[in-house]
Amino acid sequence: MRYYLRKLGFFVLTLWAVVTINFLIPRVQPGDPAEIMVQRLAGKNAQLDQAQVQAMRDLLGTPTGSLGSQYVQYLGQLLRGDLGLSYNYYPFEVTRVIGQAFWWTVVLVTVVQVLSFVVGILLGAFAAWKRNGRFDTTVTLVSTFLGTLQPFWIALLLIYGLGYSLGWFATSGGYEQSTPGFNGAFLYDAVSHAFLPALTLMIVTPIGWILGMRNTMIMNLSEDYIKLAKAKGLPDRVVALRYAARNALLPSVTGFALALGGVLGGTILVETVFDYPGLGRLMGEAVGLKDYPLLQALMLLTAVATLVANLVADLLYGVLDPRVRRSQA
Amino acid sequence: MVERRALVAAAVAVLLLLPGCAGSRVANERKLARSGAVATGGDVAQLNLAAESDASIGGLVNYNPFAPKQLTKTWLYEPLMIQNSLDCTVTPWLATGYRWQGAKRLTFDIRPGVTWSDGSPFTAADVAFTFNLAKKYPAMDTAGVWNDIFGAKALSVTATGEQVVFEFSGDAASKFTSIIGQLIVSEKQYGSVGDPTQYVDEKPVATGPFSVDRYNGRRLELVRRPDYWQADKIKVQRLVLEGNYDANQAALKLRTGGLDFYTGELPNPQKTFVDPDPATNHFWYPANGITVLAPNLTAKPFDDVRFREALAHGLDKESASLKATYGIMDVASQSGLTLPAKQALLPPGYPAASTVVPFDAGKANQLLDAAGYAKGPDGFRRNPDGSPIAITMSVQAGFIDYEATADEVVANLRDLGLDIKANKAAPDSVDGQKKSGDFQLMINYMAAGCDYANGMGATLSTGTIPTKTEIKGNIGRYSSPPVDEAVAQLTGTTDPDRTKELVGVLVTTMMTQYPVLPLFYAPARGIYRTDKAVGWPSAKDPYANPQDNPRLWITHLSAPK
């Protein structure tokens, strides 16, 4: 019981820290969002129109009162679920803006993460089982090589090759001609636009799983119980999957929960390159435009998702592996 | 994010250039298959423009003209009049005429026979309503009618019959440009929505030439309104607004006909756009303002007018324009006026050609020697009192044309024996330097426009020196009582002759005091195709600023013969 309480306490403490940092960030930043927005709307080569800046300041509002009272006010708003109005998408609420981008990222990245996990675990396990063979060498070398490349560079190569040169896939946006909704035309449009971002992520994401799984599995393969299983005359497939792989999987499960939690913030570069209308792109935009309410909400969302995933992983681990609970109790 | 996009664009550009754009063939065919319709009888079936809203998240529908961003700010709601900022001519729009009585009372005659898109009549009451709404909600007062930012604040705006009368508490001639540009909404629609800036306008009722046909979250299609008040002038049947392009995507779209008109930055448009098809592809970049070199006049050696005069001669503006604008933009006149459009405002004694300071390094060196800036043992010039000169030029990192300009300036000043280096910093931090005044030299934009008090005047008057919290035009901190007086009087005069006289004071200051050093003109960009529509503003027919006056050019377009 104490194990669970500790984890829960840690969760609350981290959440409070995140909220506080979130509160402080816009208040210690240089730069005036009103000036930035007016200048951006007017273009680089334009004199800043003071009347427009004044109107924009009135529009966005400036916080009043001491830092302490602002903080209390901010916490109160959060408890009421009021995250404010986006600067960049004024007068829309940040929750509405995030709602528009949410599913694009969640669907794309969840599919990629699940596929990557399955592919990565299988490849890693197989490489470890046949270690130092031709398959293992190839997989390890290719993974290490691809792991050194920046995802956005891979994205650019794909855009050039499969997008511009061959013209097979759309290179930017989430859809084009169709009307969003549950209809065939839109689904086709969306999938053909999501293909290249997904492919980019599919090239880089499984690498961690492959290498991680391979290493743990090799360690497990030298354990006594594997030797015993082999000595008993069990078929290779059973020893590999039911004995070695199953035990090696345990650390990866926690990792997977964390990866799912990180889905929300993890694709800024790739989404930006593909102009994909998801949360990563939105976050990059919010940073560039100093859209503090939107940025705060996105960071809060990311942090909460990661913390919840972490908590679930911790709790799950306690169930899966009783040793963890006992050793810390 | 902006830097990231620039990086991505650069990388894509490199990739695109490799095999000579063979890759665009497929995209080209796809685009051709999609357009299809052929215009006849002067009508233009469809024009493709870039999206006006740069929002990346679609599906948030808002046409409210008082929101910072809306799906279109151009084609639905309309202003009272339209000023061509290049030559300052005014075209009557929702108002047929105006009169100043002194500089405190302004009367507009409102056009009869205009209808809102829901069929109800447009009246002077709607105009008065719109301006009075801005009084109640300062956040929508982007024209600054009710504050004293451009001249004196308004006391009242009232409609009587077919007229709307503005009464000001003092001289307010300088508010004219902003007032005529205010977009007018209907009292019927906006009268009951509460705070107009927070209102989400999904079903716009407007007076403009187009109405919304459909929007799928990223592609906005507008159709011509047959009951528009000057519908006979609108030949374009359908406008499609789609896409926020970086330079390379835009070049590709323009070349393949996916875009018919574009005002964004396009490096070397002659080579990337015109050369592949000179019969169809054109661009016109008239002078919209001036890119100037702005020294900090409170610091040595820039506080010495003789030093600044020497710099004016020592800058190779031709070469700077070549590097920053591919030679498209002309070298700028030291007068601070955009020539030739505003030539008529030059005071006697300053013929247009003589106001451009030619590049002459020999003369610059002579002037520096004569002013006592002798070279020290290290080969660098020193202040007349013997103290060393070390100049740091602040440059906005990522502004590619500014960076190219800075390279040229640094090279020029080094040739004069000055110890100078460029310091590239994030645009935000350069903005911070403008506010604090903690810089030596930077590139700035000098507004031209037709409101000289707030345009040219902003670079020169004491009232527009930036504060700790606000960026204003006079970043060099120039201060001179006669200039302040002239700017104040510009706010109070509506007489063209008097205006010319007062602008003359500013021009003379520019020509003799060198508070900023104009390099080359900054463009109003118009990049266009003539296969679907002709009649775009051009050097031969400069009836509109292509970038700022789309409402004007849409009335001039028709299908090519």
Side-chain angles (χ1 to χ4, degrees), chain A residues 32 35-37 40-41 44-52 54-59 85 88-92 96-97 100-101 152 156 160 164-167 172-178 180 269 272-273 275 277 281-282 284-285 290, chain B residues 1 4-5 8 11-12 15 19 23 26 30 34 54-62 68-69 138-139 141-142 144 149-150 197-198 200 216-219 242 249 252 265 399 401-402 428 435 445 447 454-455 458 469-472 522:
Chain A
D32 179 345
E35 274 178 356
I36 290 172
M37 265 190 79
R40 188 181 153 85
L41 291 172
K44 178 181 72 184
N45 275 332
Q47 183 177 291
L48 211 53
D49 181 331
Q50 293 304 322
Q52 286 187 23
Q54 185 54 48
M56 190 66 81
R57 287 211 182 93
D58 288 336
L59 189 77
L85 304 181
N88 190 33
Y89 293 90
Y90 198 92
F92 291 102
R96 175 116 186 253
V97 177
Q100 293 284 339
F152 84 90
L156 289 173
Y160 177 67
Y164 287 126
S165 286
L166 297 171
S172 78
Y175 62 101
E176 236 159 293
Q177 302 269 349
S178 54
L269 277 185
T272 304
V273 172
D275 213 1
R281 171 93 170 74
L282 195 61
E285 193 182 66
K290 300 209 189 289
Chain B
M1 185 201 71
R4 174 64 53 204
R5 281 183 68 108
V8 170
V12 172
L15 290 172
V26 178
R30 235 181 11 204
R34 196 179 296 156
D54 64 351
S56 63
I57 304 303
L60 299 171
V61 178
N62 192 6
K69 287 181 185 181
D141 189 12
T142 48
I149 291 173
F150 304 139
T197 59
Q198 298 212 5
V200 177
N216 77 346
R218 49 174 289 134
R219 180 184 165 96
E242 184 182 21
Q249 292 169 329
L252 197 66
E265 276 187 72
F399 287 14
D401 48 345
Y402 280 27
D428 279 2
K435 289 179 186 172
Y445 175 80
N454 294 300
T469 53
E470 282 180 274
I471 297 175
K472 296 182 186 178

Side-chain angles (χ1 to χ4, degrees), chain A residues 112-113 141 143 149 152 157-158 196 212 224 234 285 295:
Chain A
V112 167
Q113 288 288 6
L141 266 178
S143 301
L149 296 180
F152 84 90
L157 288 176
L158 291 178
L196 286 186
D224 288 342
L234 289 176
E285 193 182 66
L295 191 58

